[in-house]
Amino acid sequence: MSSTASPRSARLLSDFLQAPTRFLFFTGKGGVGKTSLACASAIALADRGLRVLLVSTDPASNLDEVLGQPLTSSPTPIPGVPNLLALNIDPAAAAQAYRDRIVGPYRGQLPDAIVRSMEEQLSGACTMEIAAFDEFARLLGEPAATAGFDHVIFDTAPTGHTLRLMTLPTACTGFLDHNTSGTSCLGPLAGLQKQRAVYEGSVAALADGARTTLVLVSRPQPAALAEAERTSGELAALGVRNQRLILNGLFKATGSDPVALALERRGANALAAGAAFLARLPVTEVPLRAHNLIGLPALRALTQAGDPVSPALAQAASPLSLPPLASLAQLVDDFAKAGRGVIMTMGKGGVGKTTIAAAIATELARRGFNVRLSTTDPAAHVAAAAGQIPGMQVSRIDPREETRIYVEQVMATAGKDLDASGRALLEEDLRSPCTEEIAVFRAFARTVAQGEDAFVVLDTAPTGHTLLLLDATESYHREVARKTSDLPEEVRQLLPRLRDGDFTRVLVVTLPEATPVHEAAALQDDLRRARIEPFAWVINQSFASSGSRDPLLVARGANELPYLREVAEKCARRAAIVPWVAEEPAGPEKLRQLFPVNTAQPTPD
């Protein structure tokens, strides 16, 4: 059965764009193609003469690279598309503007010490997220902000962040309704009250099916479809019910190439397993492309049927000459020599961090080491990827549970000697969105500390969330000191441990494509500014190293070569390559595909 064959009524991307609503939200698991599809849709509408604003709410936005135009937080015209303007909601810039707007009116009116205290409250990662939402809400809920545009298209962040972002209208208005103390980690409530109409307008726009469509993007992969289904249900519960699905990257093999047949079979199996979900929504199908979806010509081609592979390209790519790269097994050999410590997989959403983390953890456990595999990803599926193996514990940092524990601890310490009024004020402060960030951060520090006597393998969140989490190491003490003097030792030791290359080994995971590689390079720069040096890069799911002879997959492999060389020669001090494998690498046995059979087996002393 072809992965493109199914009983559902499927449409092309061009069909879906015949009569779109004014607001379009593209969301889904990281790496499924949200940005490419949002850009292609924006260009197609603009080419018809419609005025279009394209907005990224992703902290790790790559609109600039895909469109070939540097962007700011203000609408920027896109050369070659006269009716299209685009912007990035820059969380850092939005946070500064938010602080200026909230605190500015009090400068010169209140003592400097009080103003500094207000600025201190607005210095955490939570403020950055609230500020980005503030700008998002303005574009959605304030009609004058987008009055000059026929359509506004949002390229949203990976799903975990998006769900938090889109539930904030309710969270913030609820916090305004219940907080009577006059202050919060979001700033003086008088400033927030002025935004109530905008927040309520954004909620109304999201729930209005005549104005807003939620476009769920998925690949024909079990994890991506499960994420789309979960997102669909959670946002429908919030009133966002006008939904449709785009199945991106559908593939049909040409001939009898085993790799191509395996790719087609995996897609068909995923679609069959998700048939009940697919039947509930209008579905648009987009085939797998041979070329990278960077630049206007490639994006315009995405709305057209077919993607002919140049015979010359396929011929020229045979055989492919790969740069010298290590294997994943060689990296594990080095980890095994240390006998303990923390291994963190980091990178853009959808690059396979969970799979690489699970593979490393299961291989170390198989060699006889004690291993703890955990994740800080809000959209975690690490347990399913790893399965069960002796010597390995699998866990997830659950934000709700960690928040409950943290709130109870604060009330039992900072709140124990307060009178009823004081406890009520503290409880109100703990209802703010910052509390979850702090609670998760404490759990992260606690998990890292376990690397003193075992291997801890951390499957971290997509780049934007991870950087917010790591950034909290600098600002955490200031925030927590307002509530409790009990600063855990593991929190004090976190940054030194992360910066100790003999204790923590960071793996930057990427795909052999332009955007994942360049975003990984930006992540590495950010880590180095925090004095955290990556141990190695892992280039995952390479068709160039898969041995496939299918024309489309050969062409994709040839397109990988510049990025393989860029990583090996310019980006990484050390790099390993992991080929695309025939069986879905989930569970201990299938994860072994990522390791050669002749791997040496160092064992604990």
Side-chain angles (χ1 to χ4, degrees), residues 242-410:
N242 183 18
Q243 303 180 5
R244 66 178 307 114
L245 178 74
I246 296 181
L247 282 173
N248 189 28
L250 293 165
F251 174 75
K252 181 174 174 56
T254 301
S256 58
D257 177 75
V259 173
L261 291 173
L263 179 60
E264 180 180 347
R265 182 174 62 254
R266 277 169 57 173
N269 291 342
L271 295 181
F277 168 55
L278 297 175
R280 296 201 296 266
L281 296 174
V283 175
T284 295
E285 298 191 341
V286 177
L288 185 68
R289 303 283 163 156
H291 56 272
N292 291 306
L293 296 173
I294 302 290
L296 301 184
L299 293 168
R300 284 191 168 105
L302 196 55
T303 59
Q304 302 165 5
D307 181 37
V309 178
S310 165
L313 175 60
Q315 184 64 32
S318 181
L320 298 176
S321 178
L322 304 183
L325 295 163
S327 68
L328 193 61
Q330 289 171 311
L331 296 186
V332 175
D333 289 343
D334 283 349
F335 299 150
K337 293 173 185 175
R340 62 167 190 144
V342 175
I343 301 162
M344 294 174 61
T345 57
M346 300 181 70
K348 177 178 169 64
V351 297
K353 297 183 300 295
T354 298
T355 298
I356 297 301
I360 290 170
T362 55
E363 182 64 17
L364 286 169
R366 190 175 286 112
R367 298 185 186 193
F369 294 98
N370 290 324
V371 181
R372 294 158 187 166
L373 173 62
S374 187
T375 183
T376 62
D377 192 337
H381 54 281
V382 67
Q388 299 293 324
I389 186 171
M392 183 175 71
Q393 301 175 21
V394 181
S395 65
R396 172 177 175 252
I397 296 175
D398 184 325
R400 290 185 180 180
E401 178 62 13
E402 295 300 335
T403 299
R404 183 190 66 77
I405 294 170
Y406 172 66
V407 168
E408 289 180 355
Q409 181 185 353
V410 171

Side-chain angles (χ1 to χ4, degrees), residues 441 472-482 487 491-492:
F441 172 77
T473 59
E474 298 287 3
S475 59
Y476 174 83
H477 179 69
R478 295 194 300 270
E479 173 65 23
V480 79
R482 294 195 304 118
L487 188 66
V491 173
R492 297 181 190 276

Side-chain angles (χ1 to χ4, degrees), residues 478-515:
R478 295 194 300 270
E479 173 65 23
V480 79
R482 294 195 304 118
K483 299 184 174 71
T484 175
S485 59
D486 180 22
L487 188 66
E489 181 63 21
E490 59 262 23
V491 173
R492 297 181 190 276
Q493 294 299 320
L494 178 59
L495 263 185
R497 283 172 171 145
L498 293 180
R499 289 168 173 163
D500 182 355
D502 292 328
F503 183 82
T504 299
R505 293 169 177 83
V506 173
L507 297 180
V508 176
V509 184
T510 188
L511 299 177
E513 301 170 12
T515 297

